[in-house]
Amino acid sequence: MEIAQNFMGPLATNTMTRINENGNVVGSIIVNCEGFPETTTLDSLTAATYSTHMRNLSHHASNALKEIDVTDELMVLRLVSRKSEAVVAPDHEFHLIVVMRRG
Amino acid sequence: MEIAQNFMGPLATNTMTRINENGNVVGSIIVNCEGFPETTTLDSLTAATYSTHMRNLSHHASNALKEIDVTDELMVLRLVSRKSEAVVAPDHEFHLIVVMRRG
């Protein structure tokens, strides 16, 4: 959480803390524009795996959206699987990924 | 809706009707395993565009999930954009895509 604190200010830290307080949240990751996890509450291997895949997926989704409507913009991508749920909120500089267990 | 009626039985037709009755639903598409829209309430160009992109995306998402946990399975993929929301529920034979306006 140090990186969130130092580079993104208290608002990001508060948001991360608020998200992680939710009982269904397994962990969250902030991914930088190069695809590396900046800060996470997951172990580093899981964080790296999610970062790579979710970033690629949101990139594909964003491109697909632009082909459907060039003025549209991806806000959230949500994957629901049998075991878990992963949400990615892409931004210009950082991506926020949240992994949840299914309720 | 004829194809849903003839090939997928009354349950699929009822589900499609129920989904399309929701005020926020712009349209729905049933895509076959070859990626072609079988039945849709959208115009054919929009249906074809969504079918191609959403099928590719759910394929990517499914592969990503398998790399994270090989025993897991994608159930729903949801794209929220500034203007709309698209949901794809993949299945072995057919994919169901629903396009909604944002509430």
Short mmCIF file of all heavy atoms in Angstrom, two decimals, chain B residues 22-71:
data_model
loop_
_atom_site.label_atom_id
_atom_site.label_comp_id
_atom_site.label_asym_id
_atom_site.label_seq_id
_atom_site.Cartn_x
_atom_site.Cartn_y
_atom_site.Cartn_z
N ASN B 22 -37.24 -6.17 -20.81
CA ASN B 22 -36.61 -5.24 -19.88
C ASN B 22 -36.36 -3.90 -20.60
O ASN B 22 -35.80 -3.88 -21.70
CB ASN B 22 -35.29 -5.83 -19.38
CG ASN B 22 -34.61 -4.95 -18.36
OD1 ASN B 22 -34.33 -3.78 -18.61
ND2 ASN B 22 -34.35 -5.49 -17.18
N GLY B 23 -36.79 -2.84 -19.99
CA GLY B 23 -36.73 -1.53 -20.63
C GLY B 23 -35.34 -1.05 -21.02
O GLY B 23 -35.19 -0.24 -21.93
N ASN B 24 -34.31 -1.54 -20.34
CA ASN B 24 -32.95 -1.09 -20.64
C ASN B 24 -32.27 -1.90 -21.73
O ASN B 24 -31.18 -1.56 -22.16
CB ASN B 24 -32.08 -1.16 -19.37
CG ASN B 24 -32.42 -0.05 -18.41
OD1 ASN B 24 -32.75 1.06 -18.83
ND2 ASN B 24 -32.34 -0.33 -17.13
N VAL B 25 -32.92 -2.98 -22.17
CA VAL B 25 -32.30 -3.85 -23.18
C VAL B 25 -32.50 -3.27 -24.58
O VAL B 25 -33.61 -2.99 -25.00
CB VAL B 25 -32.86 -5.29 -23.07
CG1 VAL B 25 -32.42 -6.14 -24.26
CG2 VAL B 25 -32.41 -5.93 -21.78
N VAL B 26 -31.38 -3.04 -25.27
CA VAL B 26 -31.43 -2.55 -26.65
C VAL B 26 -31.70 -3.72 -27.58
O VAL B 26 -32.47 -3.60 -28.54
CB VAL B 26 -30.08 -1.86 -27.01
CG1 VAL B 26 -30.07 -1.42 -28.46
CG2 VAL B 26 -29.79 -0.70 -26.09
N GLY B 27 -31.09 -4.85 -27.30
CA GLY B 27 -31.32 -6.03 -28.13
C GLY B 27 -30.52 -7.21 -27.63
O GLY B 27 -29.63 -7.07 -26.79
N SER B 28 -30.87 -8.39 -28.14
CA SER B 28 -30.13 -9.58 -27.74
C SER B 28 -29.77 -10.40 -28.98
O SER B 28 -30.40 -10.26 -30.03
CB SER B 28 -30.96 -10.41 -26.76
OG SER B 28 -32.18 -10.76 -27.37
N ILE B 29 -28.74 -11.20 -28.85
CA ILE B 29 -28.27 -12.01 -29.97
C ILE B 29 -27.94 -13.41 -29.46
O ILE B 29 -27.32 -13.54 -28.41
CB ILE B 29 -26.96 -11.43 -30.59
CG1 ILE B 29 -27.01 -9.92 -30.75
CG2 ILE B 29 -26.62 -12.12 -31.90
CD1 ILE B 29 -25.65 -9.25 -30.80
N ILE B 30 -28.33 -14.43 -30.21
CA ILE B 30 -27.83 -15.77 -29.93
C ILE B 30 -26.84 -16.11 -31.04
O ILE B 30 -27.17 -16.07 -32.23
CB ILE B 30 -28.98 -16.81 -29.83
CG1 ILE B 30 -29.79 -16.56 -28.55
CG2 ILE B 30 -28.41 -18.23 -29.80
CD1 ILE B 30 -30.95 -17.50 -28.34
N VAL B 31 -25.60 -16.37 -30.63
CA VAL B 31 -24.52 -16.63 -31.59
C VAL B 31 -24.22 -18.12 -31.59
O VAL B 31 -24.09 -18.72 -30.52
CB VAL B 31 -23.23 -15.87 -31.17
CG1 VAL B 31 -22.17 -15.96 -32.25
CG2 VAL B 31 -23.54 -14.42 -30.86
N ASN B 32 -24.07 -18.72 -32.77
CA ASN B 32 -23.74 -20.15 -32.80
C ASN B 32 -22.25 -20.38 -32.63
O ASN B 32 -21.47 -19.42 -32.52
CB ASN B 32 -24.29 -20.80 -34.08
CG ASN B 32 -23.59 -20.28 -35.34
OD1 ASN B 32 -22.53 -19.68 -35.27
ND2 ASN B 32 -24.20 -20.51 -36.47
N CYS B 33 -21.86 -21.66 -32.60
CA CYS B 33 -20.46 -21.97 -32.29
C CYS B 33 -19.50 -21.51 -33.40
O CYS B 33 -18.29 -21.45 -33.21
CB CYS B 33 -20.29 -23.46 -32.02
SG CYS B 33 -20.92 -24.48 -33.34
N GLU B 34 -20.05 -21.18 -34.57
CA GLU B 34 -19.19 -20.67 -35.65
C GLU B 34 -19.06 -19.15 -35.62
O GLU B 34 -18.39 -18.56 -36.47
CB GLU B 34 -19.74 -21.11 -37.01
CG GLU B 34 -19.42 -22.56 -37.31
CD GLU B 34 -20.34 -23.15 -38.33
OE1 GLU B 34 -21.31 -22.47 -38.74
OE2 GLU B 34 -20.11 -24.30 -38.72
N GLY B 35 -19.75 -18.52 -34.67
CA GLY B 35 -19.62 -17.07 -34.51
C GLY B 35 -20.65 -16.26 -35.29
O GLY B 35 -20.55 -15.03 -35.37
N PHE B 36 -21.65 -16.94 -35.87
CA PHE B 36 -22.67 -16.21 -36.62
C PHE B 36 -23.93 -16.03 -35.77
O PHE B 36 -24.32 -16.94 -35.05
CB PHE B 36 -23.02 -16.94 -37.91
CG PHE B 36 -21.86 -17.07 -38.85
CD1 PHE B 36 -21.29 -18.31 -39.10
CD2 PHE B 36 -21.33 -15.94 -39.46
CE1 PHE B 36 -20.19 -18.42 -39.96
CE2 PHE B 36 -20.24 -16.05 -40.31
CZ PHE B 36 -19.67 -17.28 -40.56
N PRO B 37 -24.56 -14.85 -35.87
CA PRO B 37 -25.79 -14.64 -35.12
C PRO B 37 -26.90 -15.56 -35.64
O PRO B 37 -27.20 -15.54 -36.83
CB PRO B 37 -26.14 -13.17 -35.40
CG PRO B 37 -25.00 -12.58 -36.13
CD PRO B 37 -24.19 -13.69 -36.69
N GLU B 38 -27.47 -16.36 -34.75
CA GLU B 38 -28.54 -17.29 -35.15
C GLU B 38 -29.87 -16.55 -35.14
O GLU B 38 -30.70 -16.72 -36.00
CB GLU B 38 -28.62 -18.44 -34.14
CG GLU B 38 -27.56 -19.50 -34.30
CD GLU B 38 -27.94 -20.53 -35.34
OE1 GLU B 38 -29.05 -20.43 -35.90
OE2 GLU B 38 -27.11 -21.43 -35.59
N THR B 39 -30.04 -15.78 -34.09
CA THR B 39 -31.29 -15.03 -33.97
C THR B 39 -30.98 -13.75 -33.19
O THR B 39 -30.15 -13.75 -32.30
CB THR B 39 -32.39 -15.89 -33.27
OG1 THR B 39 -33.55 -15.10 -33.12
CG2 THR B 39 -31.97 -16.38 -31.92
N THR B 40 -31.63 -12.67 -33.56
CA THR B 40 -31.34 -11.40 -32.90
C THR B 40 -32.52 -10.43 -33.02
O THR B 40 -33.34 -10.56 -33.91
CB THR B 40 -30.07 -10.74 -33.50
OG1 THR B 40 -29.82 -9.52 -32.82
CG2 THR B 40 -30.21 -10.47 -34.98
N THR B 41 -32.54 -9.48 -32.09
CA THR B 41 -33.56 -8.44 -32.17
C THR B 41 -32.90 -7.12 -32.63
O THR B 41 -33.56 -6.09 -32.71
CB THR B 41 -34.23 -8.21 -30.80
OG1 THR B 41 -33.21 -7.93 -29.84
CG2 THR B 41 -34.99 -9.43 -30.35
N LEU B 42 -31.59 -7.18 -32.93
CA LEU B 42 -30.87 -6.01 -33.44
C LEU B 42 -30.84 -6.07 -34.97
O LEU B 42 -31.12 -7.11 -35.55
CB LEU B 42 -29.44 -6.01 -32.91
CG LEU B 42 -29.23 -5.80 -31.40
CD1 LEU B 42 -27.84 -6.24 -31.01
CD2 LEU B 42 -29.46 -4.35 -31.03
N ASP B 43 -30.40 -4.97 -35.61
CA ASP B 43 -30.21 -5.06 -37.05
C ASP B 43 -29.01 -5.95 -37.34
O ASP B 43 -28.14 -6.13 -36.50
CB ASP B 43 -30.03 -3.65 -37.66
CG ASP B 43 -28.74 -3.00 -37.22
OD1 ASP B 43 -28.77 -2.37 -36.14
OD2 ASP B 43 -27.73 -3.14 -37.92
N SER B 44 -28.96 -6.51 -38.55
CA SER B 44 -27.98 -7.58 -38.80
C SER B 44 -26.53 -7.11 -38.74
O SER B 44 -25.66 -7.86 -38.32
CB SER B 44 -28.27 -8.26 -40.13
OG SER B 44 -28.28 -7.31 -41.15
N LEU B 45 -26.26 -5.85 -39.14
CA LEU B 45 -24.89 -5.35 -39.09
C LEU B 45 -24.41 -5.22 -37.63
O LEU B 45 -23.31 -5.69 -37.28
CB LEU B 45 -24.77 -4.01 -39.81
CG LEU B 45 -23.35 -3.42 -39.84
CD1 LEU B 45 -22.40 -4.30 -40.63
CD2 LEU B 45 -23.37 -2.01 -40.43
N THR B 46 -25.25 -4.59 -36.79
CA THR B 46 -24.90 -4.44 -35.37
C THR B 46 -24.73 -5.82 -34.74
O THR B 46 -23.76 -6.05 -33.99
CB THR B 46 -26.01 -3.67 -34.62
OG1 THR B 46 -26.34 -2.51 -35.40
CG2 THR B 46 -25.58 -3.23 -33.25
N ALA B 47 -25.65 -6.72 -35.05
CA ALA B 47 -25.58 -8.07 -34.48
C ALA B 47 -24.28 -8.76 -34.87
O ALA B 47 -23.62 -9.36 -34.03
CB ALA B 47 -26.78 -8.89 -34.93
N ALA B 48 -23.90 -8.62 -36.15
CA ALA B 48 -22.68 -9.27 -36.63
C ALA B 48 -21.45 -8.69 -35.94
O ALA B 48 -20.54 -9.43 -35.55
CB ALA B 48 -22.57 -9.12 -38.14
N THR B 49 -21.42 -7.33 -35.79
CA THR B 49 -20.29 -6.68 -35.14
C THR B 49 -20.15 -7.15 -33.69
O THR B 49 -19.08 -7.55 -33.26
CB THR B 49 -20.46 -5.14 -35.17
OG1 THR B 49 -20.89 -4.76 -36.47
CG2 THR B 49 -19.18 -4.43 -34.84
N TYR B 50 -21.27 -7.09 -32.95
CA TYR B 50 -21.23 -7.54 -31.55
C TYR B 50 -20.85 -9.01 -31.46
O TYR B 50 -20.06 -9.41 -30.59
CB TYR B 50 -22.58 -7.30 -30.86
CG TYR B 50 -22.69 -5.94 -30.21
CD1 TYR B 50 -23.41 -4.91 -30.81
CD2 TYR B 50 -22.07 -5.68 -29.00
CE1 TYR B 50 -23.52 -3.66 -30.21
CE2 TYR B 50 -22.17 -4.43 -28.39
CZ TYR B 50 -22.89 -3.43 -29.00
OH TYR B 50 -22.98 -2.20 -28.40
N SER B 51 -21.41 -9.84 -32.35
CA SER B 51 -21.14 -11.28 -32.31
C SER B 51 -19.66 -11.54 -32.42
O SER B 51 -19.08 -12.28 -31.62
CB SER B 51 -21.85 -12.01 -33.44
OG SER B 51 -23.22 -11.83 -33.32
N THR B 52 -19.02 -10.94 -33.43
CA THR B 52 -17.59 -11.16 -33.65
C THR B 52 -16.79 -10.75 -32.43
O THR B 52 -15.99 -11.51 -31.91
CB THR B 52 -17.11 -10.33 -34.87
OG1 THR B 52 -18.04 -10.53 -35.92
CG2 THR B 52 -15.72 -10.72 -35.31
N HIS B 53 -17.00 -9.49 -31.98
CA HIS B 53 -16.17 -8.97 -30.91
C HIS B 53 -16.42 -9.66 -29.57
O HIS B 53 -15.47 -10.02 -28.87
CB HIS B 53 -16.37 -7.46 -30.77
CG HIS B 53 -15.83 -6.71 -31.94
ND1 HIS B 53 -14.53 -6.85 -32.36
CD2 HIS B 53 -16.41 -5.83 -32.79
CE1 HIS B 53 -14.33 -6.08 -33.42
NE2 HIS B 53 -15.45 -5.45 -33.70
N MET B 54 -17.68 -9.84 -29.23
CA MET B 54 -17.99 -10.42 -27.91
C MET B 54 -17.58 -11.89 -27.86
O MET B 54 -17.14 -12.37 -26.81
CB MET B 54 -19.48 -10.26 -27.59
CG MET B 54 -19.94 -8.82 -27.48
SD MET B 54 -19.09 -7.87 -26.20
CE MET B 54 -19.88 -8.45 -24.72
N ARG B 55 -17.69 -12.58 -28.97
CA ARG B 55 -17.27 -13.99 -29.00
C ARG B 55 -15.76 -14.09 -28.82
O ARG B 55 -15.26 -14.91 -28.05
CB ARG B 55 -17.73 -14.64 -30.30
CG ARG B 55 -17.82 -16.14 -30.18
CD ARG B 55 -18.45 -16.73 -31.39
NE ARG B 55 -17.92 -18.07 -31.61
CZ ARG B 55 -16.81 -18.33 -32.27
NH1 ARG B 55 -16.10 -17.37 -32.79
NH2 ARG B 55 -16.40 -19.58 -32.41
N ASN B 56 -15.01 -13.25 -29.54
CA ASN B 56 -13.55 -13.22 -29.38
C ASN B 56 -13.17 -12.91 -27.96
O ASN B 56 -12.29 -13.56 -27.39
CB ASN B 56 -12.94 -12.15 -30.30
CG ASN B 56 -12.80 -12.64 -31.71
OD1 ASN B 56 -12.88 -13.85 -31.96
ND2 ASN B 56 -12.60 -11.73 -32.64
N LEU B 57 -13.82 -11.89 -27.40
CA LEU B 57 -13.50 -11.47 -26.04
C LEU B 57 -13.78 -12.58 -25.03
O LEU B 57 -12.96 -12.82 -24.14
CB LEU B 57 -14.33 -10.25 -25.65
CG LEU B 57 -13.79 -8.90 -26.09
CD1 LEU B 57 -14.76 -7.81 -25.71
CD2 LEU B 57 -12.43 -8.65 -25.42
N SER B 58 -14.91 -13.25 -25.17
CA SER B 58 -15.23 -14.29 -24.20
C SER B 58 -14.27 -15.47 -24.36
O SER B 58 -13.94 -16.15 -23.40
CB SER B 58 -16.69 -14.72 -24.30
OG SER B 58 -16.88 -15.63 -25.32
N HIS B 59 -13.79 -15.68 -25.59
CA HIS B 59 -12.79 -16.71 -25.85
C HIS B 59 -11.48 -16.36 -25.13
O HIS B 59 -10.89 -17.20 -24.44
CB HIS B 59 -12.57 -16.81 -27.37
CG HIS B 59 -11.76 -17.97 -27.77
ND1 HIS B 59 -12.22 -19.27 -27.72
CD2 HIS B 59 -10.49 -18.05 -28.23
CE1 HIS B 59 -11.28 -20.09 -28.13
NE2 HIS B 59 -10.21 -19.37 -28.45
N HIS B 60 -11.03 -15.11 -25.28
CA HIS B 60 -9.82 -14.65 -24.61
C HIS B 60 -9.98 -14.76 -23.08
O HIS B 60 -9.08 -15.20 -22.38
CB HIS B 60 -9.54 -13.17 -24.94
CG HIS B 60 -8.93 -12.96 -26.28
ND1 HIS B 60 -7.75 -13.55 -26.65
CD2 HIS B 60 -9.33 -12.23 -27.35
CE1 HIS B 60 -7.45 -13.18 -27.90
NE2 HIS B 60 -8.39 -12.39 -28.34
N ALA B 61 -11.16 -14.30 -22.59
CA ALA B 61 -11.41 -14.31 -21.15
C ALA B 61 -11.40 -15.73 -20.61
O ALA B 61 -10.83 -16.00 -19.55
CB ALA B 61 -12.76 -13.65 -20.87
N SER B 62 -11.98 -16.64 -21.37
CA SER B 62 -12.04 -18.03 -20.97
C SER B 62 -10.62 -18.63 -20.89
O SER B 62 -10.29 -19.31 -19.92
CB SER B 62 -12.88 -18.79 -21.99
OG SER B 62 -13.13 -20.08 -21.57
N ASN B 63 -9.80 -18.34 -21.88
CA ASN B 63 -8.41 -18.82 -21.87
C ASN B 63 -7.63 -18.23 -20.70
O ASN B 63 -6.85 -18.95 -20.06
CB ASN B 63 -7.70 -18.45 -23.18
CG ASN B 63 -8.19 -19.30 -24.33
OD1 ASN B 63 -8.87 -20.31 -24.12
ND2 ASN B 63 -7.88 -18.89 -25.55
N ALA B 64 -7.83 -16.93 -20.44
CA ALA B 64 -7.13 -16.27 -19.33
C ALA B 64 -7.50 -16.95 -18.01
O ALA B 64 -6.63 -17.25 -17.20
CB ALA B 64 -7.48 -14.79 -19.30
N LEU B 65 -8.80 -17.20 -17.84
CA LEU B 65 -9.28 -17.86 -16.62
C LEU B 65 -8.65 -19.23 -16.43
O LEU B 65 -8.25 -19.59 -15.33
CB LEU B 65 -10.79 -18.03 -16.68
CG LEU B 65 -11.64 -16.98 -16.02
CD1 LEU B 65 -13.10 -17.31 -16.20
CD2 LEU B 65 -11.32 -16.87 -14.53
N LYS B 66 -8.57 -19.98 -17.53
CA LYS B 66 -7.98 -21.33 -17.47
C LYS B 66 -6.52 -21.26 -17.05
O LYS B 66 -6.00 -22.18 -16.43
CB LYS B 66 -8.09 -22.04 -18.83
CG LYS B 66 -9.51 -22.36 -19.23
CD LYS B 66 -9.96 -23.71 -18.72
CE LYS B 66 -11.41 -23.99 -19.09
NZ LYS B 66 -12.11 -24.82 -18.13
N GLU B 67 -5.84 -20.18 -17.44
CA GLU B 67 -4.43 -20.05 -17.04
C GLU B 67 -4.30 -19.70 -15.56
O GLU B 67 -3.31 -20.03 -14.93
CB GLU B 67 -3.72 -18.99 -17.90
CG GLU B 67 -3.45 -19.51 -19.30
CD GLU B 67 -2.36 -18.72 -20.01
OE1 GLU B 67 -1.41 -18.29 -19.36
OE2 GLU B 67 -2.50 -18.54 -21.23
N ILE B 68 -5.30 -19.00 -15.03
CA ILE B 68 -5.30 -18.67 -13.61
C ILE B 68 -5.69 -19.90 -12.78
O ILE B 68 -5.08 -20.22 -11.80
CB ILE B 68 -6.23 -17.46 -13.32
CG1 ILE B 68 -5.64 -16.19 -13.96
CG2 ILE B 68 -6.43 -17.25 -11.83
CD1 ILE B 68 -6.59 -15.02 -14.07
N ASP B 69 -6.74 -20.59 -13.21
CA ASP B 69 -7.20 -21.81 -12.53
C ASP B 69 -7.84 -22.71 -13.58
O ASP B 69 -8.92 -22.41 -14.11
CB ASP B 69 -8.22 -21.43 -11.44
CG ASP B 69 -8.76 -22.66 -10.71
OD1 ASP B 69 -8.51 -23.79 -11.16
OD2 ASP B 69 -9.44 -22.47 -9.68
N VAL B 70 -7.17 -23.83 -13.86
CA VAL B 70 -7.58 -24.70 -14.96
C VAL B 70 -8.97 -25.33 -14.74
O VAL B 70 -9.65 -25.70 -15.70
CB VAL B 70 -6.48 -25.77 -15.25
CG1 VAL B 70 -6.50 -26.85 -14.20
CG2 VAL B 70 -6.60 -26.33 -16.65
N THR B 71 -9.40 -25.38 -13.47
CA THR B 71 -10.71 -26.00 -13.19
C THR B 71 -11.84 -24.97 -13.22
O THR B 71 -12.99 -25.32 -13.02
CB THR B 71 -10.71 -26.69 -11.81
OG1 THR B 71 -10.51 -25.68 -10.80
CG2 THR B 71 -9.61 -27.72 -11.70
#
